[in-house]
Amino acid sequence: MITPVLPTYARVNLEFERGEGCWLVTTDGRRYLDFTAGIAVNVLGHAHPYLVEALTAQAQKLWHTSNLFRISGGERLAQRLTEATFADTAFFTNSGAEALECAIKMARKYQYVSGAPQRNRIITFEGAFHGRTLATIAAGGNAKYLEGFGPEMPGFDQVPFGDLDAVKAAIGPETAAILLEPVQGEGGVRVPPPQFLAALRALCDEHGLLLVLDEVQSGVGRTGKLFAHEWAGITPDIMAVAKGIGGGFPMGVCLATEEAAKGMTLGTHGSTYGGNPLAMAVGNAVLDKVLLPEFLDHVRQMGLRFTQMLAQVKDRHPDVIAEVRGQGLLMGLRAQVPAADLVIALREEGMLVPGAGDNVVRLLPPLVVSEDELSLAVEKIEAACQRIEQRLAAAPVRGAAE
Ligand code: PLP
């Protein structure tokens, strides 16, 4: 019999009652070190007093009105986001996929109002993940997510990630834009080769295409810059953001230059909830913390320390960990054993991590993680590796391909 909750998730039988910083506490009192952070969402950790205060203060005044009326929190947040980024304008959403939908519509519309309506195709990359709506599963191109859902939404041309020649070959008279994650998250924490983003920017400029970035996972400080593309010294035309921007409150945003957004005129797009007063109060509070210079300094320092410590663990456990990769606090361990085994062994050690494609285990702590907590995480990873090595010694038959 089907469960009352649609059974689309393989849920772990753990339920949490509360959280504090980087820790989650189960209903029966067990504490877990949370390096899932809501899948790169809880940038300030759980129950951050500043966010609790912002949310409750707003909740006592006004939750929701509608985009039919002015929302001063949204005007303020848009102003601050445009000042902090390449963008001139912002559309607030409730999720990452919805921010991507806005970005895709905007890119097509830009070409349309620029006199090139035939330019409606977008180049995307193998291993990408952009969400679960019909357009975003087509953009992601993962056959597993597309199967059975009827005609695939047309307009996406996929090429291998990091392959500049393939991008050049895919550009045609119908190409409108190039869409990518600066660091692929779900695809397995894949960092493109150096200069890749800069080369894509140059190609877009040369061919009149828009560069659309999906910073839903890599943004809001996760890599040690406010947005990951800043490492490459380039700016996009359009950018989808979500996850960390609400610190746990469901919200996202599509940011764009004035030029890229020129087709999105009155009545062309909308969302009932997007940018409502509750979300905007939390979004502004998250930004208050993330924009402090010491915040990103901290992420960079912790990212460096963590990378060093993880490299040592890998050297000690080459039969379990094949590779350490990532940027800042968006880190991944490519496993020698099935990644799911490492996820389970870590849970047995009291640490929560999500898997990813390419047999990778992601390590996504809240960005407020301390050096002591990173050391503790490394101890747990060490212990999990030992557990797996003991099992391998007892039954050395399983391989990563399972
Ligand atoms: N884009 C990226 C890079 C993501 O990692 C995700 C979610 O994991 C999405 C888009 C979709 O976001 P949401 O699940 O909020 O719709």
Side-chain angles (χ1 to χ4, degrees), residues 54-386:
L55 181 68
T56 46
Q58 183 61 44
Q60 277 158 9
K61 288 193 288 188
L62 189 66
W63 292 22
H64 179 80
T65 50
S66 152
N67 285 306
L68 297 175
F69 306 102
R70 285 184 67 174
I71 299 170
S72 64
E75 290 173 18
R76 176 161 177 258
L77 185 54
Q79 179 71 36
R80 299 173 77 195
L81 286 170
T82 55
E83 278 165 13
T85 67
F86 70 96
D88 303 310
T89 190
F91 181 87
F92 292 110
T93 69
N94 308 285
S95 69
E98 198 190 342
L100 263 303
E101 290 276 346
C102 179
I104 292 164
K105 284 175 71 175
M106 189 184 283
R108 289 182 171 189
K109 194 68 188 284
Y110 166 81
Q111 299 292 1
Y112 178 87
V113 298
S114 299
Q118 75 286 1
R119 285 193 174 199
N120 53 40
R121 303 192 66 82
I122 299 179
I123 296 174
T124 60
F125 293 88
E126 288 167 17
F129 184 80
H130 299 298
R132 297 295 204 114
T133 61
L134 285 170
T136 56
I137 54 176
N142 184 334
K144 208 170 61 182
Y145 300 151
L146 283 160
E147 189 189 347
F149 291 115
E152 186 177 331
M153 193 180 132
F156 299 98
D157 297 308
Q158 271 215 327
V159 298
F161 191 54
D163 186 341
L164 200 60
D165 290 334
V167 178
K168 286 181 188 159
I171 295 174
E174 294 180 2
T175 308
I178 299 175
L179 162 64
L180 78 158
E181 299 153 82
V183 178
Q184 286 190 343
E186 308 284 324
V189 191
R190 294 165 74 203
V191 183
Q195 305 306 318
F196 187 60
L197 278 186
L200 293 182
R201 176 71 272 175
L203 273 181
C204 285
D205 294 343
E206 187 186 331
H207 294 274
L209 313 179
L210 296 180
L211 182 62
V212 183
L213 293 182
D214 177 347
E215 292 238 24
V216 167
Q217 191 155 156
S218 59
V220 197
R222 178 61 50 191
T223 67
K225 296 269 191 193
L226 187 56
F227 291 101
H229 67 262
E230 294 170 32
W231 289 110
I234 56 110
T235 56
D237 301 293
I238 303 174
M239 177 168 73
V241 181
K243 291 189 185 273
I245 198 158
F249 196 94
M251 67 169 287
V253 64
C254 177
L255 291 165
T257 63
E258 183 169 7
E259 175 67 7
K262 70 182 181 185
M264 303 303 280
T265 49
L266 210 62
T268 53
H269 199 51
S271 167
T272 296
Y273 282 127
N276 89 356
L278 269 186
M280 297 299 95
V282 181
N284 273 302
V286 170
L287 213 57
D288 287 344
K289 296 293 179 193
V290 172
L291 286 181
L292 295 172
E294 60 266 30
F295 187 89
L296 292 177
D297 281 348
H298 174 80
V299 178
R300 285 195 283 268
Q301 275 172 28
M302 292 304 107
L304 278 176
R305 274 301 289 136
F306 200 29
T307 307
Q308 288 163 350
M309 290 192 266
L310 291 171
Q312 289 166 6
V313 180
K314 175 194 163 281
D315 289 344
R316 283 194 290 271
H317 302 280
D319 292 341
V320 181
I321 300 171
E323 187 190 350
V324 176
R325 62 199 197 192
Q327 206 170 23
L329 291 174
L330 174 46
M331 295 301 295
L333 302 175
R334 190 163 60 78
Q336 287 289 13
V337 295
D341 289 3
L342 191 51
V343 171
I344 293 168
L346 280 167
R347 200 154 64 231
E348 287 164 351
E349 294 299 329
M351 179 170 162
L352 303 171
V353 294
D358 206 18
N359 206 42
V360 163
V361 170
R362 273 177 291 176
L363 302 165
L364 305 169
L367 303 183
V368 293
V369 69
S370 68
E371 189 157 353
D372 285 349
E373 285 162 333
L374 288 181
S375 301
L376 191 60
V378 169
E379 279 171 33
K380 289 178 185 294
I381 296 168
E382 187 90 49
C385 288
Q386 283 164 8

